[in-house]
Amino acid sequence: MDAAVLAVQRWVNATYAGVSGYVVIAEDGSAGRQTMAALTRGLQHELGITALSDNFGPATLAALTAHGPIGPAETNPNLVKIVQGGLVCKGYATFGLDGIFGTAVAGAVATLMTDAGLAARIDGTVIPKVCKALLFTDSYQLASGDSAPLRAAQQWMNGRYLNRSAFTVLACDGRRSREFLTALIFAVQYEGGLTDAQANGNFGPLTQAGVKANGLVKPGSSGPWVRLFSAALTHYPATPVLTGDFDEPLAAATRTFQAFCRLTENGQGDFPTWASLLISTGDQARPGTAADTVDEVTTARAQALVAAGYRTIGRYLTNVEGSDFDKELKPGEPATLAANGLSLFPIFQTYADSASYFGWAQGYADALAAHDAAAGHGIDAGAVVYFAVDYDATDTEVTQRVIPYFLGVEAGLRQRGSRYSHGVYGARNVCSRLAAEAFPRWSFVSGITSGWTGNVTYPLPVNWAFDQISTIDVGTLEIDKCVQRPGTDAGESAFGSTATEAADYLDWIDRLHELAVAYGNGDPGELVLQYLRAGRYDNWQTRKLAGATDAGFIGYVDATGLARVRTYRDPVARVDVDVARFGAAALAELRGRGDAGGWGGDLIAFYGGWRFTAPATTARDYCAANLAIAERPSALDLGGLVAAVDGYLAAAALRAGGTLGAHLRGADRGVRFSLFHRARFGGDPTAAAAAAQNLLTDTGDDVVTAYRALLLRGLATTPVPVDDHVRQFGRGFADRLVALTENEQTQLRRGKVS
């Protein structure tokens, strides 16, 4: 409790409790919105306003402007006490409220104004706009961990534009905000010659014309437009400093931003770059090579799309049950796309247009439906299905509803055997939060909804693949034009494909090794594993487990035109093996978290599937019937365990100094489970059971504990309590591993394994 703040609260309540429209506040000594609102209502009363409000809006500002600045000559002591109260609550003073505007008050006001970038305007009084700032909860000091260049931009804009009618004092805390971006647009309008009556904070035709006529800056330029451009860049991590001179550091920051947004990398403040800085659509006239549509793409439409420069088309996997609106992908349509040189990115959306739709169970159900629909169209394993968040979700809704939904999607797809990965369609903030807090591979950004709060002030998510920017017609087809980011999701261009033969897969691994050696930056074996993982499992969660990916090497390989192998047919287990799953397991083992990043992570998800789908079945029976069983999809099916076991053994070979290709060519696949059982568990089933139990119950590794919590959210309590259920589950895993090793020994005795 702050005694000075408590004194302010007691004074404002005692003074205005009997005034109509005043709301008595809690006297708790804690500065915040309620205290500022009470002071604002008190100010309104002193100015003669009868309809009191928490909001310091235009009417309050107009009344205070008519009254004039509050200073040493102020004859109403309550107005001075309100100023004193604001200074106390914002931390600029601890004095009592005596109603005298003396040197202490003037000094505190001067400190606040200096922090706000208004040192040149200090005159010993509180002007109306500064009074408004005083009674807001905005901070004028750099927040811990936030951007000093952004704060400098906030201060500069306050100093330059405060005299304009619509411009009020910005927070100067170095934090991104909707208010800062709106203020930037106002500033662009002012510099572009718009009058106060014309300026409205929207990036409309007049504003765009002003930028094109006056604001195109480049190396060698200087002045307010350069400073505004660098101010806009401070909203993003790339820019090093606020500057009025377009120097090489600013040009480099500009190129970085342009590369990330898929703009021409010229290092200049051209119109497309300005547009991408100020509005989520960016320049809607810029070309796009991807699109999504609710209508069937016939041969004629496909040809028109190709002629217009499009290469990747998003289509919906299903209709909404009970709806007459027909948007779903039609039988044979994928073949039509492929025959005309177009690839497909599949979208799943039924409703998904309000918070009430979202939740873990809905995500799980939608994942099963999406899997079945995608498989029914012959969409190849490894494809990314985009699940929609088609409304302006708040941060609270993302936390409480949307993230659980996508964890349900992850669980549902795993339960179907992880044939498909998932992505997210939504606002920038939704996509960014999911990228950091769930498992989406790529983001499909709804940049077209520029008014959504989730798109204002937020940069593109780090994993964006498609950015939807405008609705147009191509021939008879209405599409949403999208910018497609190279090196992300190229879409699906073949359907019903079979897995790569093992010999061809090994040749491909050898080629990757050659490229890793030629790349010359990093261990070749680890680089190859990073490339393999990046096919499907390179997300924020797997990076926490097993480290980052060298994006430069991924781009280096992609630039050669080498086609990516997704699955290969294992000649011994006779299952299709997910190459990315193998790479993720091996990389995690090399980097110290091989259990959670390989077989153990899948086993955790498998445990969740048991508790959710068959809790009445005993653990050992469930494992015997579902764990690593050919043709039985589960979170840990046979192909998944083969990938994880092979990854473990490959990591051991790399640690011993071998190469990945040599190991895989020399590996005895006929005894892989026996080798794994001996190397990881000493050939002891009790040790295997204990390791499985520890994965579910141990809390010694914070990263693994958090990873497990995500995998089991909506499925089971975590950490899992140590009880007979979990002990029997561990034994069920050990039983199944022993059965696989015994089968290998039987096949060896029969001479069937080579």
Side-chain angles (χ1 to χ4, degrees):
M1 176 184 290
D2 187 309
V5 172
L6 178 62
V8 172
Q9 293 170 331
R10 287 173 173 170
W11 173 80
V12 74
N13 277 340
T15 304
Y16 300 109
V19 173
S20 176
Y22 179 79
V23 179
V24 175
I25 61 172
E27 297 177 2
D28 57 7
S30 177
R33 291 185 183 278
Q34 65 146 4
T35 307
M36 293 306 195
L39 290 170
T40 298
R41 287 177 183 260
L43 174 68
Q44 291 165 347
H45 174 72
E46 298 296 341
L47 293 173
I49 298 171
T50 55
L52 306 188
S53 166
D54 291 347
N55 182 39
F56 196 125
T60 305
L61 185 62
L64 185 56
T65 300
H67 172 85
I70 300 170
E74 179 57 58
T75 59
N76 182 343
N78 280 352
L79 288 178
V80 177
K81 289 180 180 180
I82 288 168
V83 168
Q84 291 173 323
L87 290 166
V88 167
C89 289
K90 293 189 85 70
Y92 284 93
T94 58
F95 43 55
L97 310 189
D98 60 7
I100 299 172
F101 200 112
T103 55
V105 175
V109 171
T111 300
L112 180 148
M113 291 181 69
T114 300
D115 286 347
L118 300 171
R121 296 174 182 269
I122 295 171
D123 64 358
T125 69
V126 181
I127 61 176
K129 288 185 179 180
V130 171
C131 188
K132 179 176 181 175
L134 189 60
L135 299 185
F136 268 39
T137 56
D138 290 346
S139 173
Y140 300 95
Q141 297 177 341
L142 183 65
S144 177
D146 286 301
S147 168
L150 176 52
R151 181 179 186 240
Q154 293 165 327
Q155 292 173 316
W156 175 75
M157 290 170 65
N158 282 339
R160 184 168 178 83
Y161 302 112
L162 193 63
N163 284 343
R164 301 302 293 255
S165 64
F167 201 95
T168 57
V169 181
L170 285 170
C172 294
D173 53 8
R175 291 178 176 169
R176 292 195 305 264
S177 69
R178 185 186 185 97
E179 291 72 23
F180 177 71
L181 188 62
T182 301
L184 269 174
I185 296 175
F186 270 112
V188 165
Q189 291 173 330
Y190 299 147
E191 298 295 345
L194 271 65
T195 66
D196 283 354
Q198 292 172 313
N200 59 10
N202 296 321
F203 194 65
L206 282 178
T207 308
Q208 294 177 33
V211 171
K212 292 174 181 177
N214 304 288
L216 306 184
V217 292
K218 59 185 178 181
S221 301
S222 61
W225 278 105
V226 173
R227 197 170 291 273
L228 264 184
F229 182 76
S230 69
L233 270 177
T234 65
H235 225 219
Y236 296 82
T239 191
V241 69
L242 177 75
T243 178
D245 297 313
F246 208 120
D247 52 15
E248 178 50 35
L250 182 58
T254 302
R255 287 191 294 271
T256 299
F257 175 78
Q258 290 168 333
F260 179 64
C261 295
R262 190 54 183 160
L263 301 169
T264 301
E265 297 175 44
N266 56 20
Q268 301 179 12
D270 56 16
F271 178 75
T273 305
W274 271 109
S276 287
L277 285 167
L278 297 178
I279 191 168
S280 64
T281 58
D283 178 9
Q284 291 182 293
R286 72 190 192 273
T289 58
D292 64 279
T293 181
V294 297
D295 294 315
E296 179 181 3
V297 179
T298 62
T299 296
R301 287 171 168 174
Q303 292 170 349
L305 286 166
V306 170
Y310 293 91
R311 296 295 179 266
T312 309
I313 306 300
R315 291 285 286 118
Y316 293 85
L317 289 173
T318 65
N319 285 328
V320 179
E321 187 174 351
S323 170
D324 293 332
F325 182 50
D326 184 13
K327 64 177 182 179
E328 72 177 342
L329 184 69
K330 300 298 182 291
E333 192 176 347
T336 299
L337 292 170
N340 287 279
L342 293 170
S343 61
L344 166 73
F345 67 97
I347 306 165
F348 184 88
Q349 179 182 4
T350 54
Y351 296 100
D353 56 359
S354 68
S356 62
Y357 178 82
F358 291 91
W360 190 95
Q362 187 66 60
Y364 187 90
D366 284 356
L368 302 185
H371 170 99
D372 293 349
H377 282 290
I379 295 175
D380 286 350
V384 177
V385 178
Y386 293 85
F387 292 78
V389 183
D390 200 10
Y391 81 106
D392 191 11
T394 66
D395 262 325
T396 298
E397 290 166 350
V398 172
T399 299
Q400 296 178 353
R401 309 289 298 188
V402 177
I403 289 174
Y405 171 88
F406 276 88
L407 295 177
V409 168
E410 172 74 8
L413 292 176
R414 281 179 179 265
Q415 191 68 10
R416 282 286 196 263
S418 299
R419 177 180 175 86
Y420 300 115
S421 299
H422 70 277
V424 53
Y425 168 83
R428 291 177 169 195
N429 183 45
V430 170
C431 293
S432 292
R433 287 205 52 197
L434 284 165
E437 300 174 57
F439 296 95
R441 181 66 187 95
W442 301 117
S443 289
F444 172 19
V445 183
S446 58
I448 195 171
T449 52
S450 59
W452 283 3
T453 56
N455 276 330
V456 178
T457 78
Y458 295 99
L460 284 164
V462 294
N463 69 338
W464 79 273
F466 302 102
D467 187 13
Q468 184 187 65
I469 64 170
S470 65
T471 301
I472 63 172
D473 291 329
V474 175
T476 62
L477 183 66
E478 182 180 86
I479 64 168
D480 290 328
K481 178 172 66 173
C482 305
V483 175
Q484 184 173 10
R485 187 181 177 192
T488 59
D489 187 358
E492 302 304 304
S493 56
F495 303 91
S497 305
T498 58
T500 300
E501 292 299 320
D504 294 332
Y505 165 64
L506 294 175
D507 289 343
W508 180 72
I509 291 289
D510 289 341
R511 177 59 179 144
L512 285 174
H513 180 81
E514 292 171 0
L515 290 171
V517 171
Y519 181 63
N521 185 21
D523 179 78
E526 285 207 23
L527 288 170
V528 171
L529 293 178
Q530 289 175 35
Y531 183 82
L532 300 185
R533 182 183 68 170
R536 289 188 64 185
Y537 294 103
D538 189 14
N539 57 52
W540 190 242
Q541 309 310 327
T542 57
R543 290 187 177 201
K544 289 178 184 176
L545 284 173
T549 296
D550 186 335
F553 179 63
I554 307 301
Y556 181 78
V557 175
D558 289 344
T560 69
L562 183 67
R564 183 179 282 277
V565 172
R566 288 182 175 174
T567 60
Y568 77 92
R569 186 69 177 177
D570 186 86
V572 174
R574 296 182 178 86
V575 292
D576 294 346
V577 179
D578 183 342
V579 172
R581 207 167 180 177
F582 160 77
L587 195 60
E589 176 61 28
L590 278 178
R591 293 179 174 175
R593 290 194 176 99
D595 288 357
W599 65 271
D602 290 337
L603 187 66
I604 292 169
F606 180 84
Y607 172 87
W610 166 51
R611 301 307 297 156
F612 183 71
T613 63
T617 304
T618 67
R620 295 178 87 164
D621 286 346
Y622 185 81
C623 288
N626 296 281
L627 199 158
I629 304 295
E631 307 303 325
R632 181 70 60 84
S634 73
L636 185 50
D637 55 14
L638 183 57
L641 189 58
V642 167
V645 166
D646 285 0
Y648 178 91
L649 298 173
L654 289 174
R655 275 198 297 264
T659 66
L660 188 59
H663 163 72
L664 292 176
R665 289 183 184 279
D668 190 345
R669 295 179 178 83
V671 290
R672 57 164 53 98
F673 296 117
S674 300
L675 292 171
F676 171 69
H677 190 216
R678 185 164 57 249
R680 174 62 185 85
F681 307 115
D684 182 359
T686 302
Q693 178 178 313
N694 287 341
L695 277 165
L696 294 165
T697 61
D698 187 70
T699 57
D701 186 324
D702 290 343
V703 172
V704 173
T705 299
Y707 182 63
R708 178 181 61 215
L710 290 177
L711 290 175
L712 291 182
R713 185 168 178 176
L715 291 168
T717 302
T718 182
V720 177
V722 179
D723 57 17
D724 192 55
H725 284 304
V726 75
R727 284 189 285 268
Q728 292 300 318
F729 182 80
R731 290 171 187 150
F733 167 72
D735 290 346
R736 187 71 190 112
L737 185 56
V738 168
L740 290 166
T741 63
E742 289 177 345
N743 180 66
E744 287 178 338
Q745 299 309 310
T746 299
Q747 296 301 317
L748 278 174
R749 287 192 294 271
R750 293 176 179 174
K752 291 186 176 181
V753 176
S754 59

